[in-house]
Amino acid sequence: EVQLVESGGGLVQPGGTLRLSCAASGFNFSTYNMNWVRQAPGKGLEWVSFISFSSSSLYYADSVKGRFTISRDNAKNSLYLQMNSLRAEDTAVYYCARGQPWGIGAFDIWGQGTMVTVSS
Amino acid sequence: DIQMTQSPSTLSASVGDRVTITCRASQSISGWLAWYQQKPGKPPKVLIYKASNLESGVPSRFSGSGSGTEFTLTISSLQPDDFATYYCQQYNSFPFTFGPGTKVDIK
């Protein structure tokens, strides 16, 4: 079964750090571009970051640029999001999402999400 | 950045109704548009990619059309399982952007 499972969310104080992980299974992870997307409580979807299959291309939303870092370990079938200098407005469910298997594509597989709460 | 808008923001409809949702981009995105369905507490699910291509396993009552800056998602005959929130997303250029969503609820 093709699957993405996020972990690493939790409660963190403003200014704190958190590292999210996304474990992939059921497909050849090393050949797919990957993304992080977040959704604040009761709000819409916000794309956060993209990483190409080889890690050669990285992109970020302006709202997280300079604070978040996306990375992957193809040997471990894992995607990561290092989040530093967290703010209250970063509170959201964070999803990892797979890009379709050709070029830059729509997001065809999503994880169930992990909740990040930034509060004192 | 490319801004995405959707209309309406909320749509009340009955089972069997034909439903149309519009998505507009602030500049041309060619056909690089996807539609997602999301139910409460669940991740989004892709319905349509590249403006008009039906994702595998998605019922044929869903269809997409458009190019450039204006796109539509049509549900030909609304079913009980279709009550959800629908989002469009452009992936023509970074940063990718989503529309604000259209909630389809029961009339």
Side-chain angles (χ1 to χ4, degrees), chain A residues 13-28:
Chain A
Q13 292 189 337
T17 65
L18 214 53
R19 189 193 196 208
L20 305 184
S21 298
C22 171
S25 59
F27 64 100
N28 189 354

Side-chain angles (χ1 to χ4, degrees), chain A residues 35 39 44-45 47 50 59 95 100 102 104 106-108 110-112, chain B residues 1 34 36 38 42-44 46 49 55 87 89 91 94-96 98:
Chain A
N35 299 269
Q39 186 169 36
L45 301 169
W47 171 81
F50 164 96
Y59 293 94
Y95 297 102
Q100 285 177 314
W102 49 83
I104 304 293
F107 304 165
D108 63 351
W110 295 66
Q112 288 299 308
Chain B
D1 297 2
Y36 300 88
Q38 188 180 32
K42 298 294 186 182
V46 66
Y49 63 94
E55 176 73 355
Y87 295 92
Q89 178 221 0
Y91 52 100
F94 291 101
F96 296 157
F98 289 89

Side-chain angles (χ1 to χ4, degrees), chain B residues 71-105:
Chain B
F71 302 86
T72 59
L73 173 71
T74 299
I75 309 172
S76 61
S77 177
L78 198 67
Q79 298 302 300
D81 191 47
D82 301 338
F83 292 98
T85 299
Y86 294 84
Y87 295 92
C88 62
Q89 178 221 0
Q90 69 82 17
Y91 52 100
N92 177 76
S93 61
F94 291 101
F96 296 157
T97 42
F98 289 89
T102 295
K103 184 176 181 180
V104 177
D105 61 21

